[in-house]
Amino acid sequence: MLHRDYRFLVDCGEGTQRQILRSGLGFKRLNRVLLTHGHLDHILGLGGLVSTFARWETIDRLEIYGGRWALQRVYDLIYGVVLRGARPAIEIDFVEVKPGVVLEDSEFEVVAFPVAHRGPSLGYLFREKPRRPFLSEKAEAIGVPQGPERRRLVDGESISLSDGRIVTPDDVLGPPERRAVLAHIGDAGEIAGLADVVRGADLLVIEATYVERDEHLAKQFGHLTAARAAELAYEAEVHQLALTHISRRYRESDTLEEAQAIMPNTVVARDLDHFRVLRKHVERES
C-alpha cells in the first residue's frame, strides 16, 4: 500500500518478496510491515525479507507493527531462526498495536481495529483525513487575490487584505468533506461489529476462503464465506469489495458469483493487481 511518502506491507506470507520483485515496485522505502495476526501463512515471508534487506542494504530500519502475540512469533522467527544469535545488519523495531490510531500526520492516518479470527487479530483503515474545500467563488467575491494568501487560508490562517479587511478560513472554506478510505481485513471468523468500523470505505479488502455450501468449514476454521464478506460490504455501504484468501477448491467464478449476488461491485483480487483508491472511485489494473 502506497500513499505519498508512505509505503506499507500488510502481512508477509511465503513468496512475498518474489512477488514484490515481479510487481516492479522493488524494496525502496518498504520500511513498515503491518501484521493482522500471527498465523504462519501471514508471517513466514518476513524471515526471507529481513535476510534480503540485511544483505542488500536497501533500508536501514524496519518497523514491524502487530499485536503482542504476532510480534512474539515474528521475533522468534527473525532472531531464533534467521539470525540465530547474530546481530541484525538493520535496525528492527517491533511496535505493539492496540485498537486506535497507529500513525498519522496532518492529512493521513492508519487506524487499527479488532477482528475475530481464532485468537487476536487486527484490521487496518488507511484514510485521508477530512478536508475543507476552498470555495473559489466566495474568495473572488471577497477579493482574496490569487497566490500564497489562499494557501494560508487553506492552512487555517487568517489574512489581511490590502484595504485592511480580515478574511478568516471560515469565510472561504466549506464544511469538511470525507476523503479516500481503504479498509483491509486479513482473516476473519465473523463479521459482527465490523460494519460500523468500515462503513463507507471506498475499498474493502477481506478474505473469502469458502463459499456457502461449505459454511460448516468456514465456522470450523474461523473463516468467511464469500456471501458473508459481501453481506458486510453491503451493510457497510462500501463502494467496492475485493476478496482475497480464496481456497483453491473453488473456481474464481464460484466465489465471485456468490458475492456479486449480494454486493454487485465485487472483484476477486489477484496477485500483482494494482488498485488506485479515490473517494467513491476505485481503479483496478491487473
Side-chain angles (χ1 to χ4, degrees), residues 234-246:
Y234 182 81
E235 180 186 351
E237 300 178 311
V238 165
H239 177 67
Q240 181 162 332
L241 173 65
L243 301 177
T244 63
H245 209 278
I246 311 299

Side-chain angles (χ1 to χ4, degrees), residues 32-35 63-67 71 93 95 97 102-103 124:
R32 292 184 177 93
V33 179
L34 304 177
L35 301 176
E63 298 173 1
I64 303 175
Y65 296 78
L71 293 182
D93 288 340
V95 183
V97 171
V102 176
L103 60 86
Y124 295 95

Side-chain angles (χ1 to χ4, degrees), residues 42-92:
H42 291 255
I43 67 170
L44 272 180
L46 274 171
L49 193 65
V50 168
S51 178
T52 296
F53 283 172
R55 287 198 315 273
W56 290 4
E57 298 180 351
T58 51
I59 61 173
D60 54 15
R61 184 167 180 262
L62 179 65
E63 298 173 1
I64 303 175
Y65 296 78
R68 179 176 299 180
W69 174 68
L71 293 182
Q72 287 174 341
R73 300 198 86 186
V74 172
Y75 185 95
D76 290 344
L77 172 65
I78 292 174
Y79 285 93
V81 177
V82 177
L83 298 175
R84 296 179 62 87
R87 184 174 180 176
I90 61 173
E91 182 180 350
I92 303 174

Side-chain angles (χ1 to χ4, degrees), residues 14-25:
E14 298 169 275
T16 294
Q17 63 175 316
R18 179 192 63 196
Q19 297 297 74
I20 291 173
L21 290 170
R22 286 185 62 200
S23 73
L25 295 173

Side-chain angles (χ1 to χ4, degrees), residues 141-241:
I142 294 172
V144 178
Q146 298 284 346
E149 290 85 359
R150 297 193 175 198
R151 180 72 259 175
R152 288 170 58 193
L153 287 165
V154 170
D155 290 340
E157 298 180 37
S158 297
I159 65 167
S160 297
L161 299 181
S162 58
D163 60 8
R165 286 180 296 147
I166 303 297
V167 180
T168 69
D170 288 339
D171 293 327
V172 295
L173 299 182
E177 293 182 349
R178 187 170 179 177
R179 299 166 70 204
V181 179
L182 162 63
H184 191 291
I185 298 174
D187 294 356
E190 59 184 63
I191 62 174
L194 292 177
D196 287 340
V197 179
V198 303
R199 187 167 305 281
D202 301 290
L203 177 63
L204 169 62
V205 180
I206 191 170
E207 69 129 301
T209 306
Y210 297 98
V211 296
E212 279 294 283
R213 67 174 179 265
D214 292 325
E215 183 183 10
H216 64 289
L217 293 176
K219 291 181 178 179
Q220 179 180 351
F221 296 110
H223 286 288
L224 295 180
T225 64
R228 297 288 83 74
E231 286 175 6
L232 169 61
Y234 182 81
E235 180 186 351
E237 300 178 311
V238 165
H239 177 67
Q240 181 162 332
L241 173 65

Side-chain angles (χ1 to χ4, degrees), residues 262-277:
I262 300 167
M263 176 69 184
N265 199 12
T266 298
V267 298
V268 171
R270 304 187 185 101
D271 283 0
L272 309 183
D273 275 356
H274 290 206
F275 291 87
R276 184 167 183 250
V277 182

